[in-house]
Amino acid sequence: MCGIVGYVGTRDALPLLLSGLQRLEYRGYDSTGLAVCSADTMRVVRSEGKLQQLQSKINPTDFVGHTGVGHTRWATHGKPSDQNAHPHCSEHIAIVHNGIIENYHTLRNEIESDGYQCVSETDSEIIAHLILKTLRDGAQTLSLALRGVLPKLEGSYAIVLLSEREPERIVAATNGSPLVIGKGKNEMFLASDVTAFLSETNHVVYLEAGDVVTLEQDSIDVVNHDGMPVSKSSSEITWNITQAEKQGFRHFMLKEIYEQPQVLSDTLSGRIDAANAHVVLDEISIDPALQKLSLIACGTSFHAALIGRFLFEQLARISSSCELASEFRYRNPVIGTDELTVVISQSGETADTMIAAQEAKRLGSKILAISNVIDSSLPRFSDHVLYTRAGPEISVASTKAFTTQLVTLALLAIHIGVQKNTIDDTTRSHLIDELMMLPTKMADSIRSSECLQDIIVHYENARGFIFLGRGNLYPIALEGALKLKETSYLHAEGYPAGEMKHGPIAMIDKDFPVIALAPQGVLYPKMKTNIAEVKSRGARVIAIATEGDKEITSLVDDVVFLPDIHPLFLPVLASVPMQLFAYYVADRKGTDIDQPRNLAKSVTVE
Ligand code: M6R
């Protein structure tokens, strides 16, 4: 949610912190701040708003030092303001914090009764005061002080602290909020996300819950809360920073939409044995006794889960249920030992999703993660992992991560179906052929959806939008509405078309347009009836239809044609007009497309 970047080394910390913050801004962008320290001096600056506002406050000659920490915030406790921005200070201590300290009211009362004055509304500031107090009470080092404070904190955190009294090091701890070390030559980075320092080093060490680390320019010292050494291995990141840059596109969202043909092919690469028409998922092993699947996720990933249910039920004839991660944990779920929990998360860091996965594991289920970010928290925690291989997704509105999730789910469903003998050879071979056509047909879908750029001018005065779909396109209707809400701040709803007449149809008039997912197939006649119902109430309708469907043009106002594909894979192609519609509307409105207000890319708080 919020972003952290820290540096200790031989170079000036300030430019490295600023470029790290720039790359992390997608995580949270309502306020930013940084601290740089050298012997006996610490300079701290904070600002409401985006990084540019912070930069305008900085005179680089004032921020000299080889050690520092920066933070970009997504407000939870206290509004976005200079005062609530991190770092928070207490005398010579500066800290940044991601996560939520749940018992902060109690701790704040305690620390204030000890004479420490909180100047912000945040739950984070108390950590700085508690550390100072622990030092004053006799802790000899920053690390010991931090370890003294951690047992008092309830909730999730990644905390990084520094002090002008120990300017040669930064100290950090994590519990439920990610932190990763970047190892350079005579320098170390520490961040909530590798993108913050990937332009400097690709050698990384991931920290786990309970780790307390002291970083100096040439050493990494990790201990647990009791001070016992924890051994860590390092790994190498294989993607590079140019993959996370805009490369000529006006927005990351647009770039990521256009990357889909390539990333779908990456998702499939090595996972299909074309000669024998087989799916090859050597990464995982599924128990042949598997009887039930639970799919858990949030937001767009939840929409992928809904589509996954269709795939698993139809191809593997396996009973499947879907649940929002934020609901799962609190309903005392019943999980059988013959059940597999498939947890889907682009970032692999979503707090609700992580907690739901932990709960499912506690109840005895094996966890299969579908994630995009290699070695993020969820894959590291899970029993099996399938990576979606979408490459870094920077835009807050998820696009390519979603369609690669769908393809990964399709591969998994075929894999389980073959294992369970629910797919005959002819069907399997047809499915594989169709899967292999997806990258090319994705490129066609993008080309044909570009007409939406002109179409949207007819929809400028809409009070709101309703997206209608049936079967496995109902989740695409949900996704279309979510994309539009996120990027344009417009009211939009996704609805199963058959439910329209049970209430929402009351909203329909000429200023309440409908986007109808109406490809040819078994549900086509039903969709045509739904279209007629809204047309007769004055709605303007855009249909997403099958290439070559001549009839549909006479029934609706505007049409986007999609190439024909196996109906189980149609959601992949039908995502494109949803994404481009949202993008074009937002672009015309002039919203901040890649960083929509109030949102953050990875939601690491509950
Ligand atoms: O990283 P995750 O897939 O776990 O994220 C889940 C949601 O926060 C995410 O999909 C969100 O809904 C997107 N911004 C949608 O575009």
Side-chain angles (χ1 to χ4, degrees):
M1 205 110 217
C2 306
I4 290 177
V5 56
Y7 176 79
V8 55
T10 50
R11 292 192 275 169
D12 282 340
L14 180 67
L16 295 164
L17 296 179
L18 288 172
S19 80
L21 284 176
Q22 193 185 3
R23 295 192 196 284
L24 287 178
E25 224 186 356
Y26 74 97
R27 288 182 74 103
Y29 33 81
D30 58 41
S31 49
T32 50
L34 58 83
V36 171
C37 76
S38 53
D40 294 326
T41 317
M42 173 135 62
R43 291 302 305 260
V44 179
V45 59
R46 297 178 298 193
S47 177
E48 183 187 342
K50 293 203 172 189
L51 186 58
Q52 267 180 341
Q53 281 165 261
L54 183 78
Q55 277 172 297
S56 69
K57 287 184 164 184
I58 295 175
N59 176 358
T61 54
D62 293 338
F63 284 80
V64 179
H66 300 170
T67 306
V69 67
H71 189 264
T72 176
R73 178 173 185 247
W74 185 85
T76 57
H77 294 67
K79 61 184 179 302
S81 68
D82 289 6
Q83 215 149 42
N84 290 334
H86 302 215
H88 291 289
C89 300
S90 190
E91 210 177 78
H92 57 94
I93 299 292
I95 69 107
V96 296
H97 163 228
N98 284 359
I100 291 180
I101 304 302
E102 286 164 359
N103 57 335
Y104 91 101
H105 278 298
T106 318
L107 294 174
R108 186 174 173 134
N109 289 342
E110 268 174 41
I111 202 83
E112 288 190 337
S113 64
D114 285 336
Y116 293 82
Q117 205 196 336
C118 291
V119 293
S120 76
E121 302 158 291
T122 65
D123 54 336
S124 309
E125 186 189 347
I126 49 149
I127 302 169
H129 297 309
L130 286 169
I131 287 168
L132 183 65
K133 180 176 180 316
T134 314
L135 284 167
R136 283 179 175 162
D137 289 347
Q140 297 293 305
T141 63
L142 282 184
S143 174
L144 283 168
L146 181 57
R147 277 172 37 211
V149 167
L150 295 177
K152 299 188 202 310
L153 306 180
E154 288 169 19
S156 64
Y157 52 77
I159 300 165
V160 182
L161 73 121
L162 64 169
S163 162
E164 65 202 55
R165 306 235 174 119
E166 298 184 33
E168 67 288 358
R169 62 182 62 104
I170 51 182
V171 177
T174 176
N175 178 38
S177 288
L179 273 182
V180 55
I181 298 165
K183 285 189 343 180
K185 194 160 181 283
N186 295 325
E187 60 186 3
M188 298 286 172
F189 297 82
L190 183 62
S192 47
D193 179 331
V194 288
T195 49
F197 56 68
L198 199 53
S199 55
E200 307 300 328
T201 177
N202 64 345
H203 296 283
V204 299
V205 176
Y206 291 97
L207 294 176
E208 305 289 341
D211 289 346
V212 180
V213 63
T214 302
L215 286 183
E216 298 188 1
Q217 65 176 58
D218 48 13
S219 69
I220 300 173
D221 178 28
V222 185
V223 294
N224 65 15
H225 286 201
D226 300 324
M228 298 305 290
V230 177
S231 78
K232 291 274 154 191
S233 51
S234 61
S235 49
E236 225 172 273
I237 300 287
T238 49
W239 51 275
N240 61 46
I241 204 66
T242 51
Q243 287 174 271
E245 282 167 354
K246 280 191 210 153
Q247 296 166 352
F249 284 89
R250 290 187 54 228
H251 296 99
F252 280 112
M253 182 177 177
L254 194 62
K255 175 192 166 225
E256 288 159 7
I257 291 171
Y258 276 80
E259 278 173 347
Q260 290 177 108
Q262 178 57 50
V263 295
L264 291 191
S265 141
D266 294 343
T267 308
L268 292 170
S269 170
R271 287 167 167 168
I272 285 186
D273 169 2
N276 298 304
H278 265 298
V279 164
V280 185
L281 289 184
D282 292 337
E283 302 116 293
I284 54 166
S285 68
I286 301 288
D287 183 349
L290 178 66
Q291 290 303 327
K292 190 170 181 300
L293 279 176
S294 291
L295 295 120
I296 298 176
C298 296
T300 285
S301 297
F302 176 69
H303 299 155
L306 292 172
I307 293 164
R309 180 169 59 185
F310 279 87
L311 290 159
F312 292 120
E313 295 202 336
Q314 294 204 28
L315 296 177
R317 301 305 301 147
I318 216 162
S319 158
S320 307
S321 63
C322 291
E323 186 149 4
L324 287 163
S326 52
E327 291 295 318
F328 175 83
R329 179 193 184 185
Y330 296 104
R331 79 174 161 84
N332 197 8
V334 178
I335 301 237
T337 46
D338 53 357
E339 195 166 327
L340 177 69
T341 306
V342 177
V343 185
I344 309 173
S345 173
Q346 184 283 132
S347 61
E349 301 292 357
T350 302
D352 288 322
T353 309
M354 268 310 291
I355 291 164
Q358 284 156 1
E359 178 65 1
K361 196 180 235 185
R362 191 184 69 79
L363 294 168
S365 175
K366 292 274 183 230
I367 309 293
L368 188 154
I370 295 185
S371 183
N372 191 38
V373 181
I374 295 171
D375 284 342
S376 53
S377 300
L378 178 66
R380 280 185 284 133
F381 168 82
S382 300
D383 302 290
H384 312 277
V385 184
L386 285 173
Y387 285 113
T388 49
R389 305 180 183 164
E393 188 181 70
I394 304 297
S395 162
V396 166
S398 187
T399 54
K400 61 175 182 168
F402 176 63
T403 47
T404 54
Q405 284 168 349
L406 298 184
V407 172
T408 308
L409 286 162
L411 288 166
L412 181 61
I414 297 172
H415 179 77
I416 299 178
V418 168
Q419 194 169 310
K420 288 202 147 305
N421 219 3
T422 51
I423 306 177
D424 62 52
D425 290 351
T426 320
T427 311
R428 191 190 71 229
S429 158
H430 178 54
L431 288 166
I432 300 280
D433 285 348
E434 293 287 276
L435 264 184
M436 290 194 333
M437 290 301 292
L438 270 175
T440 312
K441 292 195 175 179
M442 187 58 145
D444 297 341
S445 304
I446 293 174
R447 262 190 301 278
S448 66
S449 301
E450 284 167 347
C451 65
L452 284 163
Q453 195 157 10
D454 301 322
I455 291 175
I456 56 153
V457 296
H458 305 303
Y459 296 83
E460 263 178 345
N461 299 321
R463 279 197 337 275
F465 292 83
I466 191 152
F467 291 72
L468 295 181
R470 280 173 179 265
N472 64 354
L473 292 181
Y474 160 51
I476 295 297
L478 292 174
E479 177 61 6
L482 178 64
K483 287 287 90 86
L484 189 62
K485 283 186 267 211
E486 273 187 299
T487 56
S488 310
Y489 321 145
L490 290 169
H491 172 66
E493 291 193 45
Y495 237 82
E499 274 293 299
M500 265 294 280
K501 56 189 174 296
H502 298 292
I505 200 161
M507 296 189 291
I508 298 294
D509 63 20
K510 68 176 183 21
D511 296 322
F512 210 102
V514 173
I515 290 97
L517 289 143
Q520 285 172 332
V522 281
L523 295 170
Y524 185 52
K526 305 277 178 213
M527 277 308 295
K528 282 193 294 186
T529 306
N530 298 133
I531 288 171
E533 284 162 2
V534 294
K535 276 307 295 169
S536 62
R537 282 153 183 92
R540 212 182 154 96
V541 177
I542 304 177
I544 312 302
T546 309
E547 209 164 49
D549 179 356
K550 295 208 171 66
E551 186 189 2
I552 196 88
T553 20
S554 61
L555 304 179
V556 300
D557 302 276
D558 299 292
V559 190
V560 176
F561 289 110
L562 295 180
D564 199 16
I565 190 95
H566 190 290
L568 280 174
F569 306 148
L570 192 53
V572 179
L573 303 186
S575 304
V576 178
M578 306 294 108
Q579 299 165 349
L580 279 175
F581 183 75
Y583 176 81
Y584 292 140
V585 171
D587 196 29
R588 202 170 165 80
K589 262 193 104 197
T591 58
D592 192 347
I593 295 184
D594 286 331
Q595 297 180 339
R597 69 184 182 202
N598 306 337
L599 294 177
K601 181 68 182 164
S602 85
V603 185
T604 53
V605 291
E606 260 194 280

